[in-house]
Amino acid sequence: MEKLSDTYLISRIADGEISCFAIIVDRYKNFLLTLIVRIVDNKEDAKDILQEVFISVYKNLDKFHQESSFSTWIYRIAYNASINFLRKNNISFIDIDQIELENSQDSFIDNNESLKKENLYIALDNAIKKLAPSEKALVILFYRQEKSIAQCGEILSMSESNIKVKLHRIRKKLSVLMNQEI
């Protein structure tokens, strides 16, 4: 069976075929859950947020006007729901803008060349957990879910140049955080 487009599914849902929403849920649930878990850092909370996201998507499907892609629209809803959850629950995160970036030039690689790749992945994962929610979201969207700079900008409501600057700064911060981990 060929892959049905999001636009086609949305039009069928609007015509009363509610069962088509299950296809949308199946198509996006894993990607959205990954993003939400990374932002809120709790799988159970992330599952609850994901349910709220799909309820919100279903209720607001008529507000999707195809100004951007459906995936961008749904990612934006998930991102906003995650950030709102953190704010509502007063969950704080480390403000890594306070970390000094002086010795961040890949020194962790030079000093630990014998370190196995899996240890680097663990250090990277731990460093990502310390990022601010918006920074985690950008890392996940750009590197793991391979969204373009333009798509990231739409989802996070930032200009493309701002996304590029943020990615550059995040890479430096991750270097510092990984150096502290190792």
Side-chain angles (χ1 to χ4, degrees):
M1 182 172 132
E2 68 183 69
K3 183 178 175 181
L4 302 173
S5 74
D6 292 336
T7 308
Y8 176 75
L9 291 170
I10 292 166
S11 68
R12 291 201 34 205
I13 294 166
D15 291 340
E17 289 187 56
I18 299 170
S19 61
C20 289
F21 193 70
I23 297 170
I24 288 177
V25 170
D26 285 341
R27 184 172 292 170
Y28 289 100
K29 67 182 177 188
N30 292 332
F31 295 115
L32 295 176
L33 185 62
T34 299
L35 175 66
I36 296 167
V37 166
R38 286 299 196 163
I39 294 172
V40 301
D41 202 26
N42 181 308
K43 192 162 187 163
E44 295 307 312
D45 289 337
K47 288 178 182 178
D48 292 341
I49 294 168
L50 182 63
Q51 285 182 337
E52 292 173 21
V53 166
F54 281 121
I55 290 168
S56 178
V57 167
Y58 183 76
K59 286 181 178 178
N60 295 296
L61 213 47
D62 60 326
K63 294 179 182 163
F64 174 66
H65 299 292
Q66 301 177 12
E67 293 152 2
S68 61
S69 70
F70 180 74
S71 65
T72 300
W73 185 71
I74 197 169
Y75 273 94
R76 179 89 184 133
I77 292 170
Y79 171 75
N80 286 337
S82 302
I83 297 300
N84 288 339
F85 171 83
L86 292 175
R87 286 182 184 141
K88 185 174 94 178
N89 293 296
N90 292 323
I91 297 174
S92 61
F93 50 88
I94 296 173
D95 183 5
I96 57 178
D97 286 330
Q98 305 301 321
I99 297 174
E100 291 184 30
L101 299 176
E102 294 168 3
N103 296 320
S104 65
Q105 303 92 354
D106 296 336
S107 61
F108 69 94
I109 293 175
D110 295 338
N111 295 334
N112 299 297
E113 288 204 38
S114 64
L115 192 60
K116 294 182 180 177
K117 275 187 179 180
E118 56 194 73
N119 289 337
L120 283 175
Y121 289 131
I122 291 169
L124 177 59
D125 193 51
N126 289 336
I128 290 172
K129 287 178 182 178
K130 293 178 181 177
L131 294 174
S134 62
E135 293 170 327
K136 285 182 196 177
L138 183 53
V139 167
I140 298 306
L141 290 170
F142 187 73
Y143 290 107
R144 295 219 174 133
Q145 297 182 355
E146 299 178 354
K147 297 291 182 190
S148 69
I149 297 283
Q151 289 172 317
C152 290
E154 284 183 55
I155 293 168
L156 302 175
S157 295
M158 295 179 198
S159 68
E160 289 184 34
S161 59
N162 196 2
I163 293 292
K164 291 176 185 177
V165 169
K166 286 201 172 285
L167 284 170
H168 177 72
R169 289 180 181 164
I170 290 169
R171 284 190 292 270
K172 283 185 172 183
K173 291 174 186 178
L174 286 172
S175 177
V176 170
L177 289 170
M178 288 178 69
N179 194 27
Q180 292 173 352
E181 283 284 320
I182 295 177

